[in-house]
Amino acid sequence: MEKERLAFLQELLHTASPSSLEMEIQKKWMAYVSPFADEIRTDHAGNVIAVKNESADFHLLLAGHCDEIAFVVNRIDEDGFVYVDKMGGINPKSAIGMKVEIIGEEAIVPGVIGVNAQHHGGMKGDFDVEDLFIDCGVASKQETNVQVGDLVVYRRQSEILKDRYISGRGLDNRTGAFIVAEVMRRLKDEQINIGVYGVSTVNEETNMGGAYFAAAGLQPDAALALDVTFATDYPSVDRRKHGDIRLDGGPVLAKGAPINRKLNHLLEKTAKDLDMTVQYELTPRLTGTDADKMRLTGKGVPVSLVSLPLRYMHSPVETASLQDIEEEITLLVELIKNMTGRESLNPLED
């Protein structure tokens, strides 16, 4: 990956964007994408929308959510220790001993998540989020400068592993927002037959409201959710149960009831023409991504899901392949360049 592009991806990863507090990252995304779009829009959910060739008859929406899982402050005791609840599907067992930032109204407050010393019995095996506490180094509640409702993220920088993988917090799904941005960049000087809405969506980790606002407002003819999925290529994962999905194995396409088969076939044909390997995951009932909300807007939107294989999901060390990111961008750019705008996504039509 080019240094400038990697630097932008890492800037996104280093910008706190807990669900409901995505404003800072959205401003950075907007500034990066603006030169590549015909128009930039925002909406009341907080989405940022990059528009290309809107005068076309057929419109495709690309959605990558920029929010990350977090904790939310629910109380502060008299000694100044801060207690939290979940904002999204964060794993409390990954939090022990981690450095954190509490994003307050007036300032960012650093802290550490305390851990009971092994000499005092250690952490109990069945602990949950209510057993966590944050030590901000204060002596009383009045000193904390923290309020109920403040959001908490890990203080964690990304790392490049062997020039091959990228690891850090919140790859789910700042990688998706990055991929949308890169698709728009590579399409800038292309003459395409369809209109494209590249959207950095909000709130996926909590309610998927951003995707609903985007699709309901734009009323596209089709939509692709660009998210992450569970890699199963590391120790302790049962592949018989969870499938075989590997880093460096290529983008992952979903198969299941919510997925439009004809849109998937277009993706598969594009991959075949590129001599690119794709992987598959099953989404029998729902996808658990922005695709679910976009599909049920307006008159209904045909959707598909393209995912990036991700190790250690919802942990501070999520890990993905730079090669997979590049291949997904290439797949989407070629799909869009090859579309005529006359494609029928009705599964009953030839």
CSV table of all heavy atoms in Angstrom, one decimal, residues 18-24 72-73 76 87 101-110 144-152:
chain,number,residue,atom,x,y,z
A,18,PRO,N,-16.1,6.5,18.8
A,18,PRO,CA,-17.1,5.7,19.4
A,18,PRO,C,-18.5,6.0,18.8
A,18,PRO,O,-18.8,7.1,18.5
A,18,PRO,CB,-17.0,6.0,20.9
A,18,PRO,CG,-16.4,7.3,21.0
A,18,PRO,CD,-15.5,7.4,19.8
A,19,SER,N,-19.3,4.9,18.7
A,19,SER,CA,-20.6,5.1,18.2
A,19,SER,C,-21.4,6.2,18.9
A,19,SER,O,-21.4,6.3,20.1
A,19,SER,CB,-21.4,3.8,18.3
A,19,SER,OG,-22.6,3.8,17.6
A,20,SER,N,-21.9,7.2,18.1
A,20,SER,CA,-22.6,8.4,18.6
A,20,SER,C,-21.7,9.6,18.7
A,20,SER,O,-22.1,10.7,18.9
A,20,SER,CB,-23.4,8.2,19.9
A,20,SER,OG,-22.5,8.3,21.0
A,21,LEU,N,-20.3,9.4,18.6
A,21,LEU,CA,-19.4,10.5,18.7
A,21,LEU,C,-18.4,10.4,17.5
A,21,LEU,O,-17.2,10.3,17.7
A,21,LEU,CB,-18.7,10.4,20.0
A,21,LEU,CG,-17.9,11.7,20.4
A,21,LEU,CD1,-18.9,12.9,20.6
A,21,LEU,CD2,-17.1,11.5,21.7
A,22,GLU,N,-18.9,10.4,16.3
A,22,GLU,CA,-18.0,10.2,15.1
A,22,GLU,C,-17.7,11.5,14.4
A,22,GLU,O,-17.1,11.4,13.3
A,22,GLU,CB,-18.8,9.3,14.1
A,22,GLU,CG,-19.2,7.9,14.6
A,22,GLU,CD,-20.7,7.9,15.1
A,22,GLU,OE1,-21.2,9.0,15.4
A,22,GLU,OE2,-21.2,6.8,15.2
A,23,MET,N,-17.9,12.6,15.0
A,23,MET,CA,-17.8,13.9,14.3
A,23,MET,C,-16.3,14.2,13.9
A,23,MET,O,-16.1,14.6,12.7
A,23,MET,CB,-18.3,15.1,15.2
A,23,MET,CG,-19.8,15.0,15.4
A,23,MET,SD,-20.4,13.8,16.6
A,23,MET,CE,-20.0,14.7,18.1
A,24,GLU,N,-15.4,13.9,14.7
A,24,GLU,CA,-14.0,14.2,14.4
A,24,GLU,C,-13.5,13.3,13.2
A,24,GLU,O,-12.9,13.8,12.3
A,24,GLU,CB,-13.1,14.0,15.6
A,24,GLU,CG,-11.6,14.4,15.3
A,24,GLU,CD,-10.7,14.2,16.5
A,24,GLU,OE1,-11.2,13.9,17.6
A,24,GLU,OE2,-9.5,14.4,16.3
A,72,VAL,N,-19.0,3.3,28.0
A,72,VAL,CA,-19.7,4.5,28.3
A,72,VAL,C,-19.8,4.6,29.8
A,72,VAL,O,-20.1,3.7,30.5
A,72,VAL,CB,-21.1,4.6,27.7
A,72,VAL,CG1,-22.0,3.5,28.1
A,72,VAL,CG2,-21.8,6.0,28.0
A,73,VAL,N,-19.4,5.8,30.4
A,73,VAL,CA,-19.4,6.0,31.8
A,73,VAL,C,-20.8,5.9,32.4
A,73,VAL,O,-21.7,6.6,31.9
A,73,VAL,CB,-18.8,7.3,32.2
A,73,VAL,CG1,-18.9,7.6,33.7
A,73,VAL,CG2,-17.3,7.4,31.7
A,76,ILE,N,-19.5,7.4,38.8
A,76,ILE,CA,-18.2,7.7,39.4
A,76,ILE,C,-18.4,7.6,40.9
A,76,ILE,O,-19.3,8.2,41.4
A,76,ILE,CB,-17.7,9.1,39.0
A,76,ILE,CG1,-17.7,9.2,37.5
A,76,ILE,CG2,-16.3,9.3,39.5
A,76,ILE,CD1,-18.8,10.2,36.9
A,87,MET,N,-20.8,0.3,25.0
A,87,MET,CA,-21.4,1.0,23.9
A,87,MET,C,-21.0,0.2,22.7
A,87,MET,O,-20.0,0.3,22.1
A,87,MET,CB,-20.8,2.4,23.8
A,87,MET,CG,-21.3,3.2,22.6
A,87,MET,SD,-23.0,3.7,22.7
A,87,MET,CE,-23.0,5.1,23.8
A,101,GLU,N,-8.8,6.3,27.2
A,101,GLU,CA,-9.1,7.7,27.1
A,101,GLU,C,-10.6,7.9,27.4
A,101,GLU,O,-11.4,7.3,26.7
A,101,GLU,CB,-8.7,8.3,25.8
A,101,GLU,CG,-7.2,8.3,25.5
A,101,GLU,CD,-6.8,8.9,24.2
A,101,GLU,OE1,-7.8,9.0,23.3
A,101,GLU,OE2,-5.7,9.2,24.0
A,102,ILE,N,-10.9,8.8,28.3
A,102,ILE,CA,-12.3,9.1,28.5
A,102,ILE,C,-12.5,10.5,27.8
A,102,ILE,O,-11.9,11.5,28.1
A,102,ILE,CB,-12.6,9.3,30.0
A,102,ILE,CG1,-12.3,8.0,30.8
A,102,ILE,CG2,-14.1,9.6,30.2
A,102,ILE,CD1,-12.4,8.1,32.3
A,103,ILE,N,-13.5,10.4,26.8
A,103,ILE,CA,-13.7,11.6,26.0
A,103,ILE,C,-14.8,12.5,26.6
A,103,ILE,O,-16.0,12.2,26.5
A,103,ILE,CB,-14.1,11.2,24.6
A,103,ILE,CG1,-13.0,10.2,24.0
A,103,ILE,CG2,-14.2,12.4,23.7
A,103,ILE,CD1,-13.5,9.6,22.7
A,104,GLY,N,-14.3,13.5,27.4
A,104,GLY,CA,-15.2,14.4,28.1
A,104,GLY,C,-15.7,15.6,27.3
A,104,GLY,O,-15.1,15.8,26.2
A,105,GLU,N,-16.6,16.3,27.8
A,105,GLU,CA,-17.1,17.5,27.1
A,105,GLU,C,-16.0,18.6,27.0
A,105,GLU,O,-15.9,19.3,26.0
A,105,GLU,CB,-18.3,18.1,27.8
A,105,GLU,CG,-19.5,17.3,27.8
A,105,GLU,CD,-20.1,17.3,26.4
A,105,GLU,OE1,-19.9,18.3,25.6
A,105,GLU,OE2,-20.8,16.3,26.0
A,106,GLU,N,-15.1,18.6,28.0
A,106,GLU,CA,-14.1,19.7,28.1
A,106,GLU,C,-12.7,19.2,27.8
A,106,GLU,O,-11.8,20.0,27.3
A,106,GLU,CB,-14.1,20.3,29.5
A,106,GLU,CG,-15.4,21.0,29.8
A,106,GLU,CD,-15.4,21.6,31.2
A,106,GLU,OE1,-14.4,21.5,31.9
A,106,GLU,OE2,-16.5,22.1,31.6
A,107,ALA,N,-12.4,17.9,28.0
A,107,ALA,CA,-11.1,17.4,27.8
A,107,ALA,C,-11.1,15.9,27.7
A,107,ALA,O,-12.1,15.2,28.0
A,107,ALA,CB,-10.2,17.8,29.0
A,108,ILE,N,-10.0,15.4,27.2
A,108,ILE,CA,-9.8,13.9,27.1
A,108,ILE,C,-9.0,13.5,28.4
A,108,ILE,O,-7.9,14.1,28.7
A,108,ILE,CB,-9.0,13.5,25.9
A,108,ILE,CG1,-9.9,13.8,24.6
A,108,ILE,CG2,-8.6,12.0,26.0
A,108,ILE,CD1,-9.2,13.4,23.3
A,109,VAL,N,-9.6,12.6,29.2
A,109,VAL,CA,-9.0,12.2,30.5
A,109,VAL,C,-8.4,10.9,30.3
A,109,VAL,O,-9.0,9.9,30.0
A,109,VAL,CB,-10.1,12.2,31.5
A,109,VAL,CG1,-9.5,11.8,32.9
A,109,VAL,CG2,-10.8,13.6,31.7
A,110,PRO,N,-7.0,10.8,30.5
A,110,PRO,CA,-6.4,9.5,30.5
A,110,PRO,C,-6.7,8.6,31.7
A,110,PRO,O,-6.9,9.2,32.8
A,110,PRO,CB,-4.9,9.8,30.3
A,110,PRO,CG,-4.8,11.1,31.0
A,110,PRO,CD,-6.1,11.9,30.8
A,144,THR,N,-12.3,14.3,38.9
A,144,THR,CA,-12.2,13.5,37.7
A,144,THR,C,-12.4,14.2,36.4
A,144,THR,O,-11.9,13.9,35.4
A,144,THR,CB,-13.3,12.3,37.8
A,144,THR,OG1,-14.6,12.9,37.9
A,144,THR,CG2,-13.0,11.4,38.9
A,145,ASN,N,-13.3,15.3,36.4
A,145,ASN,CA,-13.6,16.0,35.2
A,145,ASN,C,-14.3,15.0,34.2
A,145,ASN,O,-14.1,15.2,33.0
A,145,ASN,CB,-12.4,16.7,34.6
A,145,ASN,CG,-12.8,17.8,33.6
A,145,ASN,OD1,-13.8,18.4,33.7
A,145,ASN,ND2,-11.9,18.1,32.7
A,146,VAL,N,-15.0,14.1,34.8
A,146,VAL,CA,-15.7,13.1,33.9
A,146,VAL,C,-17.2,13.1,34.3
A,146,VAL,O,-17.6,13.4,35.4
A,146,VAL,CB,-15.2,11.7,34.2
A,146,VAL,CG1,-16.0,10.6,33.6
A,146,VAL,CG2,-13.7,11.6,33.8
A,147,GLN,N,-18.1,12.9,33.3
A,147,GLN,CA,-19.5,12.9,33.5
A,147,GLN,C,-20.1,11.5,33.1
A,147,GLN,O,-19.5,10.9,32.2
A,147,GLN,CB,-20.2,14.0,32.7
A,147,GLN,CG,-19.8,15.4,33.0
A,147,GLN,CD,-20.5,16.4,32.1
A,147,GLN,OE1,-21.5,16.1,31.5
A,147,GLN,NE2,-19.9,17.6,32.0
A,148,VAL,N,-21.2,11.2,33.6
A,148,VAL,CA,-22.0,10.1,33.2
A,148,VAL,C,-22.4,10.3,31.7
A,148,VAL,O,-22.7,11.4,31.3
A,148,VAL,CB,-23.3,9.9,34.0
A,148,VAL,CG1,-24.2,8.9,33.3
A,148,VAL,CG2,-23.0,9.5,35.4
A,149,GLY,N,-22.2,9.3,30.9
A,149,GLY,CA,-22.4,9.4,29.4
A,149,GLY,C,-21.2,9.7,28.6
A,149,GLY,O,-21.2,9.6,27.4
A,150,ASP,N,-20.0,10.0,29.2
A,150,ASP,CA,-18.8,10.2,28.5
A,150,ASP,C,-18.4,8.8,27.9
A,150,ASP,O,-18.6,7.8,28.6
A,150,ASP,CB,-17.7,10.7,29.4
A,150,ASP,CG,-17.8,12.2,29.7
A,150,ASP,OD1,-18.7,12.9,29.1
A,150,ASP,OD2,-17.1,12.7,30.6
A,151,LEU,N,-17.7,8.8,26.8
A,151,LEU,CA,-17.3,7.6,26.1
A,151,LEU,C,-15.9,7.3,26.3
A,151,LEU,O,-15.1,8.2,26.5
A,151,LEU,CB,-17.7,7.7,24.6
A,151,LEU,CG,-19.2,7.8,24.3
A,151,LEU,CD1,-19.4,8.2,22.9
A,151,LEU,CD2,-19.9,6.6,24.7
A,152,VAL,N,-15.5,6.0,26.3
A,152,VAL,CA,-14.2,5.6,26.6
A,152,VAL,C,-13.7,4.6,25.5
A,152,VAL,O,-14.4,3.7,25.2
A,152,VAL,CB,-14.2,4.8,28.0
A,152,VAL,CG1,-12.8,4.4,28.4
A,152,VAL,CG2,-14.9,5.6,29.1
